Amino acid sequence: MRLVRARRQHDGWVPWAFIFPTVVGISAFYLWPTLQSVYFSFTEWGPFGGTTWIGAENYLRLAGDPQVLKALGNTALYTAVTLLSIPLAIWLASLLNRPGLRGRTFFRILFFLPVVTVPAAIAMVWKLMFNGEFGVINYVLSLVGITGPFWLQTPVVSIVAVAVVGIWTTLGFNMIILGAGLQTIPDELYEAAELDGASPVRRLLHVTVPLLTPSIFFVTTITVIASLKVFDLVFLMIGPTNPVIDDAQTLVYLFYDEGFLVNDKGYAAAIGVVVLLVIAAVTLVQFRLQRRWVHYE
């Protein structure tokens, strides 16, 4: 103990020198912009720059703005649909984890490709697929006698269509995390369950899922945070010129609209602060609730 204490005292400034670049980076690119946004949320911007302190006026306006409630509802709907990727990822990761499966590496690469693909390219391809007149999805539906809707021009349907793309883009990452979690489950537990007559479904529900809860909690937290910040898919697939955008915009898109199209940067900063608080509150609730359903042993 004395040796450890003496070594810590002897280290002096050396540990601080190693973390100094990280502290500077976090302060410059995360902490300072956050503090600036909080300050700007209490100001009004002039047409040629300059700010005027207006107190909580932006937040009072935000509380009565129906567009904010609509954007919050669309964000919640997008998040709820995107969370469906987690049970799908558990099922696919379990299939890929089966012993003796041929082509396992190929399928893992195939599912992971959307994670490393440029979001703009993904959005453009899916936008063509969702086209109401010549898209391949409506063509396939027409083969079975179903008339597909104009996916990206119909309220509610448009945000669900974007969420489907969100599922596709996050599925590979979730499968990798959950697949790593599956590797830590002892085979003896499956053998014991099989000897007791448990079916594959019961082994999945009563052995795999409980022991996989730490990984499920991690991917759930990451997926929810990413979904609450969704912007690129909405911007690229629906876009500001689409008549349905007012009914399909998310919170971050509304922030972009107010800040860069309407040029009301003070109000946009207030929306940005609300997004930050919503993400912090939801994440805090997730960490509180995980004590009830996550098993670490």
Side-chain angles (χ1 to χ4, degrees), residues 87-114 171-183 187 190 204 208 212:
L88 184 59
I90 294 173
W91 178 61
L92 290 173
S94 300
L95 290 180
L96 292 180
N97 199 48
R98 296 176 66 177
L101 178 68
R102 292 184 177 181
R104 179 181 303 165
T105 304
F106 169 76
F107 286 114
R108 284 177 176 168
I109 294 173
L110 189 66
F111 282 110
F112 196 72
L113 274 179
L171 190 61
F173 176 80
N174 291 344
M175 284 178 60
I176 293 297
I177 299 297
L178 295 169
L182 287 172
Q183 299 289 331
D187 294 335
Y190 290 108
L204 175 67
T208 302
L212 204 57

Side-chain angles (χ1 to χ4, degrees), residues 134-163:
F134 52 82
V136 66
I137 294 176
N138 277 1
Y139 172 73
V140 172
L141 291 176
S142 69
L143 295 179
V144 293
I146 299 175
T147 303
F150 284 84
W151 297 93
L152 300 178
Q153 286 79 32
T154 305
V156 181
V157 176
S158 57
I159 195 67
V160 173
V162 174

Side-chain angles (χ1 to χ4, degrees), residues 106-250:
F106 169 76
F107 286 114
R108 284 177 176 168
I109 294 173
L110 189 66
F111 282 110
F112 196 72
L113 274 179
V115 181
V116 295
T117 305
V118 179
I122 293 174
M124 290 298 104
V125 171
W126 277 94
K127 188 175 181 179
L128 291 173
M129 293 173 64
F130 275 123
N131 189 286
E133 295 180 352
F134 52 82
V136 66
I137 294 176
N138 277 1
Y139 172 73
V140 172
L141 291 176
S142 69
L143 295 179
V144 293
I146 299 175
T147 303
F150 284 84
W151 297 93
L152 300 178
Q153 286 79 32
T154 305
V156 181
V157 176
S158 57
I159 195 67
V160 173
V162 174
V164 170
V165 183
I167 291 176
W168 187 73
T169 55
T170 58
L171 190 61
F173 176 80
N174 291 344
M175 284 178 60
I176 293 297
I177 299 297
L178 295 169
L182 287 172
Q183 299 289 331
T184 64
I185 301 177
D187 294 335
E188 292 80 7
L189 295 178
Y190 290 108
E191 293 171 0
E194 194 171 357
L195 288 175
D196 289 340
S199 64
V201 175
R202 294 194 66 181
R203 291 200 294 271
L204 175 67
L205 296 178
H206 298 286
V207 178
T208 302
V209 172
L211 295 177
L212 204 57
T213 48
S215 300
I216 295 174
F217 170 64
F218 175 74
V219 295
T220 301
T221 304
I222 296 297
T223 302
V224 169
I225 292 175
S227 300
L228 293 175
K229 297 189 301 179
V230 64
F231 168 76
D232 49 0
L233 290 178
V234 177
F235 178 78
L236 293 167
M237 292 184 64
I238 301 177
T241 58
N242 192 322
V244 81
I245 187 62
D246 287 341
D247 295 318
Q249 61 187 351
T250 58

Side-chain angles (χ1 to χ4, degrees), residues 2 23 37 44 58 123 149-150 195 204 210 235 274 297:
R2 291 181 178 177
V23 172
S37 297
E44 183 182 28
N58 284 328
F150 284 84
L195 288 175
L204 175 67
F235 178 78
V274 168
E297 294 180 357

